[in-house]
Amino acid sequence: MNHGHSAILALTLLSLMPAEAWACATCSLREPESAVRSMLLVVGLMLTPFAVLGVGLWAVRRANREDPRKDPT
């Protein structure tokens, strides 16, 4: 790939970036999250893997219950 193609590729990728990413820091400032909302987000992110694991274990147990193993005789 020559330099002309890589420059075009770089400009294309930069043009796909949302306009908010180009804003200056003072234009994109907003109020900080409340402490309660931040804590709920952190707790939710920490508990998500356990919820996924629990649903997976439940699905495996249910699948085993619905599909009884037949006798090999």
Side-chain angles (χ1 to χ4, degrees), residues 8-58:
I8 292 172
L9 178 63
L11 287 174
T12 303
L13 291 175
L14 287 175
S15 70
L16 296 175
M17 194 177 289
E20 289 82 14
W22 294 101
C24 62
T26 55
C27 298
S28 59
L29 287 179
R30 61 186 189 124
E31 264 185 59
E33 296 284 337
S34 69
V36 174
R37 191 169 177 183
S38 295
M39 188 57 68
L40 287 174
L41 178 63
V42 169
V43 170
L45 288 172
M46 287 176 19
L47 294 178
T48 298
F50 298 107
V52 170
L53 181 67
V55 169
L57 290 174
W58 170 80

